[in-house]
């Protein structure tokens, strides 16, 4: 996490960097800082809190400069504070640097530097790396670029850094390993950022910097080198993103906008792939690797957070429709538990950002062991997308709200198409069921629209339960992962403790929590478990729990047993998660708003977690 922006060129640099930092605040908002060079001297301004607080703090100050680097932080080493905010200055005061990532071996280097007399103003690993660079530069009489290269060879961990030297106001030096960096190419100007959103209004030509590359950026020159000091050819790509996609467009919050965008984003995801008339699914990433996928003896799905929940839904789908065993793994656990991976094993990586460090690192090691990696990613050109052998983008557009919504339904849509396509190719699904599910999937955008047409009931329920201290979310089958996702959404943006559980498993523990104060959300749409879920509802009611149900339109039984009810249109149970999650997204949103929480930037979270 942490957002990074840099500018060098013919314009005023600070306003460009400031605007860019606001766009990247989703990556962290514990503190903000910028560094500029004025008449051969570094000026650093930093402040605890969101970007707006820095903006206010520098009002009236001379910020004139054509070079600026800026940072919005999600704290790892050291509490959020002014002194831990980036950029940091080297001991000699000549260099300023900011960093996204974690230097794992910083403690040892810090001891070495302390023994040499270096002092540290912050608790960050970044300041250690910076002084390490200064030390190499001083001792070897080397250029900054050379010193950086030597330092990076010793570093263990992840980084995207921007570095400037007050003696050279014509250059920004950048480097990356494991944390993203995009460079926008303008006329006599360059833009650097963690993603393309700060760049898009100035240029559509970008270069995604690769791991272990150093970029030497001047206003009219971009040189890329590897750590062996060999020049690399920058691969210039055209951005396929519009400015409107990253603005709020009249909604109070990005999250609400993104929830309401779902009929369109799901449609975009299906467009050109799900061909209803031909009763066909066309996905190049799968077509080109159909054999690897159909012949897989098992599939492993690796993801984190909400994306992991999409993976759980996929497990149910792929096992039912394709008859291939599936394991769904938390990326952070998968990496470290030395999993058995054979060459040819298929791994589906799911990630909105395509930059989540846990997922990325897990995939790197699986790839080394010969696994075939299929990426289901939203952010085009992201690290996971590039690392995958094949993949399918979710086409949900930029997701800014920290709580994932439209990216999740995009993931479900892609995974459903994948499952149907593999099942068809394997012959593990009947023609009739294939056509039925294909048509059901095609109906999703319209049905989501129906749910969103009137949200007053959901808003009312949110107001009623906003002061609850705990929630329980229960579901079975395809709706079990949706119960987990509903609980996660609530925790993320309302700070209310919530647990998701399989409805039947509830009696083995969580039932002890039930009393007249506990809201219990049942995801109870019409499916093969429906009768059983109704019995589970009775068990909760018998203990005086407050039942809130997500039910299928036309259900006449659940209204008699639930205090509150949110309806979704009827749909096959395989596709149901795409609908039943929508009221739960909105429930969390409205509870968060009723509690006065900044739902787009809830405390302690970050949209893209690029540290392990
Ligand atoms: C963070 C976000 C979650 C997201 C998870 C995985 O924790 O706050 O919303 O689900 O990362 O992110 P990814 O980008 O890999 O889907």
């Amino acid at each position: 996490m942490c957002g990074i922006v840099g500018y060098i060129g013919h314009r005023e640099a600070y306003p460009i960097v400031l605007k860019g930092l606001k766009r990247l605040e989703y990556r962290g908002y514990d503190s903000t800082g910028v560094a500029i060079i004025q008449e051969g001297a570094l000026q650093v301004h930093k402040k605890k809190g969101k970007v707006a607080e820095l903006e206010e703090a520098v009002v009236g100050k001379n910020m004139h400069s054509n070079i600026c680097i800026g940072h919005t932080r999600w704290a790892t080493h050291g509490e959020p504070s002014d002194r831990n905010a980036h950029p940091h200055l080297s001991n000699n005061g000549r260099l300023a640097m900011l960093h996204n990532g974690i230097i794992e071996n910083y403690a040892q280097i810090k001891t070495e530097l302390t023994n040499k007399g270096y002092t540290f103003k912050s608790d960050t690993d970044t300041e250690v790396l910076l002084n390490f660079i200064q030390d190499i530069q001083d001792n070897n009489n080397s250029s900054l670029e050379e010193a950086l290269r030597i330092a990076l060879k010793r570093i263990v961990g992840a980084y995207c850094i921007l570095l400037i030297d007050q003696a050279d106001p014509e250059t920004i030096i950048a480097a990356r390993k494991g944390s993203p960096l995009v460079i926008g190419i303008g006329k006599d100007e360059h833009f650097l950022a963690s993603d393309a959103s700060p760049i898009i209004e100035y240029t559509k030509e970008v270069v995604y910097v690769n791991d272990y590359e150093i970029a030497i950026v001047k206003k009219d020159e971009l040189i890329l080198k590897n750590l062996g000091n060999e020049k690399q050819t920058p691969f210039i790509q055209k951005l396929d993103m519009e400015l409107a996609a990253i603005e709020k467009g009249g909604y109070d919050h990005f999250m609400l906008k993104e929830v309401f965008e779902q009929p369109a984003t799901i449609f975009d995801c299906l467009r050109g792939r799900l061909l209803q008339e031909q009763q066909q699914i066309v996905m190049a990433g799968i077509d080109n690797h159909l054999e690897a996928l159909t012949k897989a003896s098992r599939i492993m799905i690796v993801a984190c957070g909400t994306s992991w929940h999409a993976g759980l839904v996929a497990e149910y789908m792929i096992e039912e429709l394709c008859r291939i065993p599936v394991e769904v793994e938390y990326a952070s656990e998968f990496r470290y538990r030395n999993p058995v991976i054979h060459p040819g094993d298929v791994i589906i990586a799911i990630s909105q950002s395509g930059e989540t460090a846990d997922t990325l690192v897990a995939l790197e090691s699986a790839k080394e062991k010969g696994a075939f990696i299929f990426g289901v990613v939203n952010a085009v050109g992201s690290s996971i997308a590039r690392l995958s052998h094949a993949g399918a983008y979710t086409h949900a557009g930029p997701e800014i709200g920290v709580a994932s919504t439209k990216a999740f339904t995009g993931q479900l849509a892609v995974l459903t198409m994948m499952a149907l396509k593999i099942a068809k190719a394997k012959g593990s699904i009947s023609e009739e069921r294939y056509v039925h599910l294909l048509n059901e999937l095609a109906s999703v955008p319209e049905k989501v629209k129906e749910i969103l047409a009137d949200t007053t009931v959901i808003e009312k329920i949110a107001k009623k339960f906003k002061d609850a201290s705990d929630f329980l979310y229960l579901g079975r089958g395809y709706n079990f992962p949706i119960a987990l996702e509903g609980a996660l959404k609530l925790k993320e943006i309302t700070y209310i403790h919530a647990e998701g559980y399989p409805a039947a498993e509830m009696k083995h523990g969580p039932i002890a929590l039930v009393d007249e104060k506990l809201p219990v959300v049942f995801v109870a749409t019409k499916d093969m478990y429906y009768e059983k879920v109704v019995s589970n509802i009775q068990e909760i009611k018998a203990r005086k729990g407050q039942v809130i149900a997500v039910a299928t339109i036309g259900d006449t039984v659940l209204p008699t047993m639930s205090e509150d009810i949110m309806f979704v249109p009827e749909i096959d149970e395989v596709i149901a998660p795409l609908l039943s999650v929508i009221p739960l997204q909105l429930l969390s949103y409205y509870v968060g708003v009723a509690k006065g929480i900044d739902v787009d930037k809830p405390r302690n979270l970050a949209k893209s977690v690029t540290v392990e």
Side-chain angles (χ1 to χ4, degrees):
M1 26 265 254
C2 301
I4 281 182
V5 188
Y7 175 83
I8 185 157
H10 54 85
R11 309 186 210 209
E12 280 297 333
Y14 165 71
I16 293 174
V17 169
L18 188 81
K19 198 170 186 186
L21 289 175
K22 286 186 181 165
R23 297 230 168 98
L24 291 185
E25 260 192 318
Y26 73 85
R27 301 179 63 86
Y29 30 82
D30 291 337
S31 62
T32 314
V34 293
I36 53 178
I37 303 175
Q38 284 174 331
E39 291 161 16
L42 277 169
Q43 306 287 342
V44 174
H45 302 277
K46 39 196 204 175
K47 192 99 194 103
K48 180 180 169 193
K50 296 182 179 157
V51 178
E53 288 173 51
L54 175 82
E55 186 178 16
E56 213 168 284
V58 302
V59 167
K61 297 214 160 86
N62 173 10
M63 300 300 286
H64 170 70
S65 183
N66 299 120
I67 179 170
C68 180
I69 58 173
H71 186 269
T72 173
R73 178 170 187 247
W74 186 85
T76 57
H77 289 71
E79 55 166 14
S81 63
D82 289 357
R83 72 187 180 87
N84 284 331
H86 301 214
H88 295 282
L89 282 174
S90 56
N91 270 204
N92 63 9
R94 277 186 50 181
L95 309 175
M97 189 173 97
L98 48 81
H99 167 218
N100 166 27
I102 285 189
I103 308 300
E104 289 173 18
N105 56 341
Y106 85 103
Q108 193 193 341
I109 300 171
K110 188 170 186 176
T111 309
E112 290 169 19
L113 291 171
T114 309
N115 290 341
K116 289 183 176 181
Y118 280 83
T119 55
F120 297 91
K121 294 195 173 69
S122 75
D123 308 316
T124 64
D125 50 348
T126 309
E127 197 186 5
V128 174
L129 173 57
L130 176 60
N131 282 305
F132 185 40
I133 295 167
Q134 182 203 308
D135 192 53
I136 296 169
Q137 207 183 5
D138 290 351
N139 290 336
N140 302 9
N141 202 16
S142 41
S143 69
L144 183 57
E145 184 195 324
E146 176 75 26
L148 173 65
R149 202 165 27 244
I150 296 169
L152 293 183
K153 283 187 186 158
R154 192 150 157 223
I155 288 307
V156 179
Y159 55 81
C160 168
I161 57 169
L162 300 190
L163 177 60
I164 54 175
D165 179 346
Q166 67 178 15
D168 182 6
E170 308 293 322
T171 312
I172 298 176
I173 299 187
R176 85 154 259 185
K177 189 216 147 196
S179 301
L181 176 62
V182 193
I183 301 180
I185 303 168
K187 190 167 165 8
D188 286 334
E189 57 185 351
H190 282 106
F191 307 81
L192 301 96
S194 303
D195 75 24
S197 59
I199 298 175
I200 184 178
E201 72 185 275
Y202 307 103
T203 176
K204 294 219 159 173
E205 297 210 322
V206 294
V207 172
Y208 289 91
V209 177
N210 291 311
D211 277 350
Y212 303 108
E213 281 181 349
I214 292 180
I216 300 105
V217 189
K218 299 179 185 294
K219 71 175 186 181
D220 50 5
E221 189 179 32
L222 165 63
I223 297 172
L224 281 185
K225 290 183 178 177
N226 62 17
L227 291 188
N229 199 24
E230 293 158 331
K231 277 200 181 174
Q232 308 292 301
T233 312
F235 174 52
I236 300 173
Q237 299 189 40
K238 273 243 166 307
L239 276 181
D240 179 21
M241 194 199 265
E242 293 308 323
L243 192 57
I246 53 169
E247 294 187 331
K248 271 193 217 152
Y251 285 91
D252 289 344
H253 297 96
F254 279 110
M255 181 180 172
L256 191 64
K257 175 186 174 226
E258 287 156 6
V259 167
F260 274 82
E261 274 174 350
Q262 288 176 109
T265 52
I266 299 169
F267 183 80
D268 284 347
C269 179
L270 302 178
R271 187 175 35 209
R273 291 168 163 173
L274 191 162
L275 310 179
Q276 227 180 334
E277 270 178 31
Q278 292 95 316
Q279 296 182 345
Q280 226 189 336
I281 292 168
V282 180
M283 294 169 90
I286 297 185
D287 288 315
N288 297 338
H289 301 275
L290 207 50
E291 193 167 325
L293 291 161
T294 50
K295 296 240 165 82
S297 53
R298 67 170 174 163
I299 291 177
M300 280 169 278
I301 299 181
V302 177
C304 303
T306 290
S307 299
W308 187 82
H309 294 154
L312 274 189
V313 176
E315 177 184 25
Y316 283 69
M317 281 190 301
I318 296 172
E319 293 207 336
E320 180 188 336
L321 305 176
C322 312
R323 308 309 298 153
I324 300 173
V326 178
E327 288 160 33
V328 189
E329 304 268 1
Y330 284 116
S332 52
E333 289 298 314
F334 180 75
R335 180 193 173 192
Y336 286 107
R337 68 169 180 73
N338 195 12
V340 179
I341 300 170
H342 300 297
D345 273 353
V346 170
I347 295 191
I348 301 178
I350 310 175
S351 176
Q352 186 287 124
S353 61
E355 301 293 349
T356 301
D358 285 328
T359 311
L360 190 57
V361 179
L363 296 178
E364 276 165 358
S365 65
K367 195 175 178 184
E368 269 167 31
K369 292 180 182 154
F372 173 78
I373 316 281
F374 190 94
V376 176
V377 173
N378 193 37
V380 176
S382 55
S383 301
I384 294 174
R386 286 183 293 148
L387 180 134
S388 302
H389 294 105
Y393 283 119
T394 42
H395 294 315
E399 191 180 65
I400 314 278
V402 162
S404 185
T405 52
K406 63 174 182 172
F408 178 69
T409 46
Q411 290 164 349
L412 293 183
V414 164
L415 291 162
T416 312
M417 286 190 284
M418 264 187 95
L420 284 172
K421 209 169 157 53
I422 297 171
K424 181 86 175 8
K426 277 194 75 177
S428 53
I429 189 170
S430 71
E431 184 62 20
E432 192 189 353
R433 181 119 178 91
Y434 172 79
V435 171
H436 170 69
L437 287 176
L438 193 135
N439 289 334
E440 289 284 82
L441 184 57
S443 75
V444 168
E446 277 310 309
K447 289 181 177 168
V448 173
K449 226 185 250 174
E450 246 181 86
I451 302 171
L452 295 173
D454 185 2
T455 59
T456 44
V457 172
I458 305 175
E459 276 181 72
K460 235 196 236 154
I461 300 173
K463 282 191 185 129
K464 180 167 160 191
F465 290 103
K466 77 177 177 49
D467 295 318
S469 54
D470 301 275
F471 267 70
L472 197 54
Y473 283 71
L474 302 173
R476 295 178 84 138
Y478 285 95
N479 279 328
F480 161 55
I482 298 308
L484 294 182
E485 175 58 10
L488 178 64
K489 284 281 89 73
L490 196 80
K491 280 182 274 210
E492 284 177 314
I493 58 169
T494 74
Y495 314 153
I496 296 175
H497 167 248
E499 279 194 54
Y501 241 79
E505 184 66 17
M506 164 268 297
K507 57 186 173 291
H508 299 292
I511 198 163
L513 301 172
V514 179
D515 62 17
E516 67 286 351
K517 291 198 291 291
L518 185 76
V520 183
V521 179
F522 271 94
V523 192
T525 52
K526 283 277 171 72
D527 57 23
M528 65 179 281
Y529 302 98
Y530 175 76
E531 304 297 340
K532 293 189 186 302
V533 175
V534 168
S535 308
N536 298 141
I537 293 179
Q538 296 292 13
E539 289 157 11
I540 295 290
K541 283 203 70 69
R543 286 150 186 95
K544 300 197 164 41
Q546 309 251 347
V547 173
I548 304 166
V550 176
T552 305
I553 292 173
D555 187 325
T556 49
V557 177
L558 287 188
T560 64
M561 320 178 160
S562 322
E563 273 71 38
D564 294 282
I565 196 150
M566 302 177 280
F567 284 108
V568 295
E570 189 169 0
I571 200 152
D572 191 284
E573 65 179 22
V574 174
I575 319 286
L578 274 154
L579 302 187
S580 41
V581 74
I582 309 282
L584 301 185
Q585 295 170 342
L586 285 167
L587 181 65
S588 301
Y589 172 79
Y590 288 121
V591 173
V593 170
K595 289 175 81 83
I597 290 168
D598 181 352
V599 294
D600 281 340
K601 301 189 199 97
R603 70 183 179 205
N604 302 342
L605 296 177
K607 179 83 187 147
S608 176
V609 185
T610 54
V611 293
E612 278 188 68

